[in-house]
Amino acid sequence: RCRRDGRRCRGRKPAPLPPRCRPARPFRDDPLSMPPSARDPVAAGGAVLIGQRVTVLGAGIGGLAAALGCARRGAVVEVIEQAEGLREVGAGLQISPNGMAVLDALGVGARVAAEAPRGRRVWLVDGIGGGRVAKLDLTAIAAPEPWCLVHRADLVAALGAEAAAAAVRFRFATR
């Protein structure tokens, strides 16, 4: 029988199990269950980029996080940004515990958490009709990291400051 839908396979090889059906490996599938000190791939024998030159295009949240992560692994990183400086426009972000674990690994989690209010509830809203579909009480969920509400500019500032401290070079007003 087919593992995916239970029908007969009719001579075909059965499809591999989807990832959610595979047995969990401790820590690998749930990084939040490991202590913060164990989340660092370099300490765990992960990728080291010592001496590698890395160029990151764009100094938004993703670019700064990539630049900081590469610099922390020993790469020589340059970020090229078309704007005149580090700035972010837009609204706020809700960062889940998984996201906060990533920010912790990048070294900015404590700074972001110190400035951010904590989320207590989330309402899921129907995108077409606008009606509330479900309500989540975040205080009832046991998570090792907080649910934080952060303005984009604050997150960019934290990532940019940490990247500069990690010797990331910036080239602004460049296309």
Side-chain angles (χ1 to χ4, degrees):
R1 296 226 175 248
C2 180
R3 292 180 184 158
R4 192 174 294 161
D5 57 18
R7 293 185 289 165
R8 297 188 123 217
C9 291
R10 299 190 182 156
R12 298 177 308 210
K13 285 188 171 183
L17 286 173
R20 67 179 179 275
C21 296
R22 293 186 186 132
R25 292 178 296 268
F27 298 151
R28 186 169 179 169
D29 292 334
D30 184 16
L32 289 179
S33 66
M34 67 177 114
S37 60
R39 293 181 193 148
D40 183 10
V42 173
V48 178
L49 302 173
I50 296 172
Q52 297 291 317
R53 295 179 50 83
V54 174
T55 302
V56 176
L57 303 178
I61 292 169
L64 291 171
L68 181 54
C70 290
R72 292 281 165 108
R73 303 305 179 268
V76 177
V77 183
E78 180 177 42
V79 175
I80 299 173
E81 170 61 44
Q82 65 183 354
E84 298 291 325
L86 279 183
R87 62 175 186 239
E88 184 65 50
V89 296
L93 299 169
Q94 179 268 315
I95 303 178
S96 69
N98 286 347
M100 289 304 296
V102 171
L103 294 178
D104 277 345
L106 291 171
V108 297
R111 178 177 172 178
V112 169
E115 299 174 6
R118 303 297 189 262
R120 293 188 299 259
R121 282 182 288 294
V122 172
W123 284 275
L124 301 178
V125 179
D126 182 291
I128 296 171
R132 291 184 181 169
V133 176
K135 174 181 155 186
L136 296 169
D137 181 8
L138 302 179
T139 61
I141 300 170
E145 303 284 345
W147 295 77
C148 291
L149 306 173
V150 182
H151 193 278
R152 287 178 179 272
D154 295 336
L155 182 55
V156 167
L159 288 167
E162 196 67 25
V168 171
R169 289 187 38 226
F170 292 92
R171 253 190 345 185
F172 295 108
T174 305
R175 283 182 157 243

